[in-house]
Amino acid sequence: MIKVSDLNIPTLDDVNASDKKVLLRIDINSPVDKKTGKLLDDSRIKAHAYTVRNLLERGNSIVILSHQGRPGDDDFISLQQHAELLSKYVGTNVEFIEDIIGPYAIEKIKKISRGEVYLLENVRLVSEELIEAPPVQQSKTFLVKKLSPYFDIYVNDAFAAAHRSQPSLVGFPLMLPSAAGKIMEKEVSALAKIFNPEDSPKIFVLGGGKVSDTLKIIEHLAKNRVSDRILTGGLVAELFAVAKGINLGKANMQVLESKGLLSLVPRARKLLLSGAPIEIPVDFLTEKQSGEIAEEPANSVNGVIKDIGTTTIEIYSSFIKEAKVITLRGPMGIIEDERFRNGTKSLLKSAFESPGYVIIGGGHMISMVEKGIEINENKVHISTGGGALLLFLAGDKLPALEALHLSWVSKSGKS
Ligand SMILES: Nc1ncnc2c1ncn2[C@@H]1O[C@H](COP(=O)(O)OP(=O)(O)O)[C@@H](O)[C@H]1O
Ligand SMILES: O=C(OP(=O)(O)O)[C@H](O)COP(=O)(O)O
């Protein structure tokens, strides 16, 4: 059992996860090369393989659910590549099933034997999965009603998606005995232990492209007074620059407009006026239509912003070096292009060299941690989560954890 504030989260031992038919939800959503459609990083796949191996050692058969990307985005692809990589890291064949709740998937699930592992297709192909709602409502979806009858237990290992109240994450725990997987258990236990509200100064380095999510997180961090300083990068920085009245130029305004982000400016401006400790870059690395790459001051940008500039790196690094806890999520630039990785790499280096404790999260951000560098586990926690990590650190209750708690209460009669 894991205790998280007033939630009791059952673990594999609490549901006797042995010799059972297990429905396992993991989060192997990974960065994708927009040009080739190939996965750019397999950190999450490698991490979740541990839970799959653990469940196999307990004599279970396993059917896995996960998502990749969001409909309409370039990274919304099939899980076929993921199954091949999972087979490699688990050390046994993970059969890819190109179906989710259709007759082919159901027939295969009915016949699965002990020791077999199936990975179903991208669960976000089921339209219900895109709707967030409370567990009771999600337990009545086609996805949950079609799959639940064929399993003994449900295991949620998807810490990185635990902030999503979607059917595959919160619907099954009311229908099946449920538990946290080994990655979920490890993340929640570690973060609850290392994140001491008393530690100060706490710095959050927040970048990336999930601006609406990150704005909500910053509102929570500011409201709960969890962060002493928030250093912004990526599209998040551009939103706050515009909110500060900085003219980023026509090209960048068009990027923000095309992503529907300008409607968030009033909320960002309100945060700035409230005195939230938010920093924005003083310079950017930009690319002109001619292809020329240049470093430009934030108040006279002509090219399309692709990364933060060196002066910003120096200023942010000086803040990082004074921090007791540094949490980084979301890259500073368009890291799919190696020309725009300097900002992210430089800040990661400053964090690793600082005396503070470092927490790193987010699929793209994790992919930037140099493969094979020596990570001092006493000083660095590499989370599989991004938004989920930040909301957990901001003190929010994650819907997937609440659903597991509800399942425990309803099935065990214990609170
Ligand atoms: N200045 C920028 N303009 C456009 N996209 C950006 C910029 N900086 C970062 N990005 C994009 O942000 C995406 C990663 O964002 P996000 O998913 O929030 O990060 P994480 O996966 O680490 O949580 C990458 O695809 C990257 O190309
Ligand atoms: O990659 C994820 O979140 P992250 O980008 O915050 O790390 C999770 O898989 C959640 O994906 P979503 O933000 O499309 O629901």
Side-chain angles (χ1 to χ4, degrees), residues 31 34 44 207-211 214 233-235 238 255 259 305-307 329-336 361-366 385-387:
K34 294 182 170 73
R44 284 174 168 170
K210 290 179 179 173
V211 182
T214 306
L235 283 174
E238 296 185 39
V255 168
K259 293 176 183 285
I305 294 169
K306 302 281 185 162
D307 197 0
R329 181 272 178 143
M332 298 295 103
I334 301 182
I335 53 147
E336 290 87 345
H364 292 77
M365 201 56 169
I366 301 165

Side-chain angles (χ1 to χ4, degrees), residues 118-166:
Y118 295 159
L119 173 61
L120 300 182
E121 183 53 287
N122 191 338
V123 71
R124 285 185 175 172
L125 280 164
V126 178
S127 57
E128 291 171 323
E129 183 66 7
L130 303 174
I131 300 162
E132 295 204 61
V136 172
Q137 191 173 330
Q138 303 298 40
S139 68
K140 295 169 183 162
T141 56
F142 273 97
L143 178 75
V144 175
K145 286 191 296 186
K146 288 283 255 186
L147 292 182
S148 294
Y150 301 102
F151 296 96
D152 300 313
I153 60 173
Y154 166 80
V155 174
N156 193 338
D157 207 32
F159 174 75
H163 55 318
R164 303 297 187 212
S165 194
Q166 293 163 338

